[in-house]
Amino acid sequence: MSTRLLLSSLVAAAAVLSLTPVHAANVAGLTSNGYAENFDAMGTSGTTAPLGWSVFVGDSGSHTTWLTSITANGSDSVASMVAASSGLTATSSPSGTKITGFNAAYSSTNTADRVLATSPTSVTGAALQLTLSNDTGVAVTELVLSYDTRRFSTVSTVEELPGYQLFYSLDGSSWTNVSALNPSIAEVPNSIGVTTVSDAHITLSSAVAAGASVYLRWVDDNGKPTSPDQIIGLNNVSVSAVLPAVPEPQSLALAMAGLGVLGLVRRAKRHA
């Protein structure tokens, strides 16, 4: 290979690398094509959540504190939760309590389909956090989410706060509840099954700049009426960003033609 060709190849490789986002540890990318995770890559024995995902716990959401709502910030809140200190428990049939979460099979007859699941203890709630880097190349102010809540167990008493409540953060410290997605017992009943949220639009409090991160937490409280709580999990999560509209080719061509005509008119006026 000639020196000139080698240099050209190195320059091309450097250009490709410069376009590849560099993320902090355990951050997934949200591109213009969106983000999707079905958790199946964890396999039947994996103890680590996929890239971007973490389990959070802490002295928050005991069975006597989050009675009617989940506190977003301050003490005993979503903001005061900390990352779990140990890995997931891989199982085909989750049961009991597990503060660090489950890598659970969708069912005992469908073990290849995996679910990231929670089962809080009596002293704390649990949360599943997704950290996404905005790799769309533009600032983002609106997200569209879809996800399944898999209900693994039946409980005899109605849960205080059924299912997951979703919170987002733009700095990883201050959290905002997406109240429109707080489920009711009718939407997430205390029985085995699946609840689906489809194409839910979330308008963020401020824009997420290109390259910055946005944090999403699905929070599972520890309910007072029953012990253990209903075991639930996330599956088939997708996130997309609402991007600025790009002019269609025909519209762009018409605009360019209009500019050309305007230029001719101005030139004719100058000659006149």
Side-chain angles (χ1 to χ4, degrees), residues 21-48:
V22 178
H23 298 152
N26 200 32
V27 178
L30 173 63
T31 70
S32 56
N33 293 322
Y35 166 87
E37 180 59 66
N38 61 14
F39 304 104
D40 294 351
M42 293 192 299
T44 58
S45 59
T47 58
T48 303

Side-chain angles (χ1 to χ4, degrees), residues 29-36 132-146 199-204 207-212 214 216 238-246:
L30 173 63
T31 70
S32 56
N33 293 322
Y35 166 87
L132 289 173
S133 170
N134 176 12
D135 294 343
T136 64
V138 297
V140 169
T141 59
E142 185 176 1
L143 301 176
V144 181
L145 273 70
S146 296
D199 298 330
H201 285 247
I202 300 173
T203 301
L204 305 174
V208 180
V214 60
L216 302 170
S238 68
V239 184
S240 60
V242 178
L243 302 177
V246 177

Side-chain angles (χ1 to χ4, degrees), residues 65-123:
T65 55
W66 291 350
L67 298 177
T68 58
S69 63
I70 295 178
T71 307
N73 301 293
S75 60
D76 192 38
S77 69
V78 174
S80 64
M81 302 180 90
V82 297
S85 58
S86 58
L88 305 170
T89 295
T91 178
S92 295
S93 182
S95 61
T97 58
K98 184 63 180 178
I99 196 62
T100 56
F102 292 106
N103 164 12
Y106 179 85
S107 67
S108 58
T109 58
N110 187 6
T111 58
D113 189 349
R114 310 306 296 183
V115 180
L116 190 58
T118 53
S119 180
T121 70
S122 60
V123 296

Side-chain angles (χ1 to χ4, degrees), residues 51 61 153:
L51 180 67
S153 59

Side-chain angles (χ1 to χ4, degrees), residues 157-179:
T157 307
V158 172
E159 293 289 283
E160 291 169 334
L161 303 171
Y164 288 112
Q165 291 195 10
L166 178 63
F167 293 74
Y168 76 84
S169 174
L170 304 180
D171 58 10
S173 299
S174 178
W175 295 85
T176 300
N177 176 224
V178 185
S179 58

Side-chain angles (χ1 to χ4, degrees), residues 179-217:
S179 58
L181 295 182
N182 289 348
S184 67
I185 192 63
E187 294 162 327
V188 183
N190 54 326
S191 58
I192 295 172
V194 176
T195 301
T196 298
V197 171
S198 297
D199 298 330
H201 285 247
I202 300 173
T203 301
L204 305 174
S205 57
S206 60
V208 180
S213 293
V214 60
Y215 308 81
L216 302 170
R217 275 189 191 176

